[in-house]
Amino acid sequence: MQKKYGLSSYSLKMIAIVFMLIDHINTYLGQSLHLPLWVAWLGRFVAPLFVYLLIEGFFYTRNRWRYLRRLLLATGVMAIGNIVYNLISKSYINPYDQQINYFNFLGPQNIFLTLTLIFALLMLFENFKEAKLIGRLLGLLGILVMAFLLLFSEGGIYLLPITLIMYTARKAKLPQINYIGITLFTLALLFLAVQSHTGDQSLYAYLTFDNEFMMITVLPFIYLYNHQRGGTGRPFEKYFFYFFYPIHLWILYALHLILN
């Protein structure tokens, strides 16, 4: 149901991009800029908000396969940039045993990969109900494979439960599921973070590191979403994030290498 007030999907994306930039600046230049520890909390809503908008886009788009191809292309472009960065920085080498860790070539950042896997997972969910027995068995296998791969993508281990909560809320048309589910999930994360605190540093400092419980801050943005597209409808607005994400990270990668 559309609201007369609130924020459109375009406005939410622009807000998320600003806080994503702040978060990535803190990740790569935070020590050099002497940013306070609490800055790490500011961007924790960004990834779940992108997942929320992806799920909305999944149900609104007229061509899901075209949407998936666009995500795959963005994933590939970002992956190439990450490989180049890892080759230059030699971050693919484990500093402890000097062995090559090929898993490191996936990162350090590629939210496109996570979103691609989530979108593919949603397609499998939707097709599962309509398939016959063999199709359902193959669909179930695909769901398990996508869920497994998602656990190894950027933030996937946290975003998989978030995805299931948001998808269920969207299908049931019960936004309360988002508020209850995400609150319980993030409270569990907070409990685990506090429990894992060893006392080597202050609890405050530790919680700015183990900070995924702050994903609860996505809830006000979900509430403010008015289910309108927003913007002017120009192609630039549609593809802005696809260009901004890799470009700003590549700049930060370069600055990080120069300063360190």
Side-chain angles (χ1 to χ4, degrees):
M1 180 180 296
Q2 293 189 351
K3 303 175 183 177
K4 294 181 179 180
Y5 61 91
L7 299 170
S8 66
S9 62
Y10 177 75
S11 298
L12 288 174
K13 286 178 184 177
M14 292 300 105
I15 293 171
I17 285 172
V18 170
F19 279 88
M20 177 186 68
L21 177 60
I22 294 172
D23 186 59
H24 288 160
I25 289 174
N26 182 58
T27 298
Y28 294 102
L29 305 176
Q31 289 187 340
S32 301
L33 297 174
H34 304 290
L35 297 178
L37 294 177
W38 52 261
V39 174
W41 285 335
L42 297 180
R44 292 286 66 80
F45 75 90
V46 172
L49 182 57
F50 278 134
V51 171
Y52 179 78
L53 294 174
L54 181 77
I55 293 173
E56 287 294 304
F58 177 82
F59 285 102
Y60 280 125
T61 186
R62 289 173 291 185
N63 192 323
R64 290 173 178 172
W65 284 105
R66 184 184 301 166
Y67 201 137
L68 181 61
R69 288 196 297 269
R70 188 163 64 240
L71 287 170
L72 280 169
L73 177 60
T75 297
V77 170
M78 193 66 222
I80 292 171
N82 284 338
I83 291 172
V84 172
Y85 169 75
N86 284 310
L87 288 172
I88 294 174
S89 65
K90 298 187 183 303
S91 56
Y92 60 91
I93 299 177
N94 190 315
Y96 300 104
D97 57 17
Q98 299 303 307
Q99 298 297 312
I100 296 176
N101 185 346
Y102 293 99
F103 180 75
N104 286 347
F105 278 104
L106 289 175
Q109 308 281 344
N110 195 343
I111 196 63
F112 287 137
L113 174 59
T114 306
L115 296 177
T116 297
L117 292 172
I118 289 174
F119 198 87
L121 188 62
L122 297 178
M123 291 181 68
L124 289 168
F125 281 155
E126 289 293 293
N127 292 332
F128 181 81
K129 297 177 299 182
E130 301 175 2
K132 296 181 180 180
L133 179 60
I134 299 299
R136 288 197 172 193
L137 291 175
L138 293 175
L140 180 59
L141 177 61
I143 288 171
L144 292 175
V145 169
M146 287 300 164
F148 177 77
L149 293 176
L150 191 56
L151 296 178
F152 295 94
S153 65
E154 182 188 353
I157 194 170
Y158 302 105
L159 295 177
L160 178 56
I162 291 287
T163 298
L164 296 177
I165 292 168
M166 291 179 172
Y167 175 75
T168 301
R170 183 63 171 75
K171 288 292 289 183
K173 297 182 180 180
L174 291 173
Q176 298 89 336
I177 294 176
N178 281 324
Y179 306 129
I180 297 172
I182 293 174
T183 297
L184 292 176
F185 177 60
T186 51
L187 284 176
L189 292 177
L190 176 59
F191 174 78
L192 292 174
V194 172
Q195 286 292 104
S196 62
H197 177 240
T198 61
D200 295 335
Q201 58 185 154
S202 69
L203 180 60
Y204 160 69
Y206 184 76
L207 291 181
T208 60
F209 170 74
D210 192 349
N211 55 26
E212 300 301 334
F213 64 92
M214 286 299 289
M215 289 192 296
I216 195 172
T217 53
V218 74
L219 293 181
F221 296 99
I222 291 176
Y223 176 77
L224 290 172
Y225 178 49
N226 61 15
H227 296 272
Q228 297 180 24
R229 184 174 181 178
T232 62
R234 296 176 180 175
F236 170 77
E237 296 174 349
K238 181 177 181 179
Y239 296 105
F240 175 73
F241 177 64
Y242 291 95
F243 289 98
F244 180 84
Y245 182 81
I247 291 173
H248 92 279
L249 277 173
W250 292 339
I251 292 172
L252 289 175
Y253 287 171
L255 292 174
H256 179 73
L257 288 174
I258 292 170
L259 296 175
N260 294 277

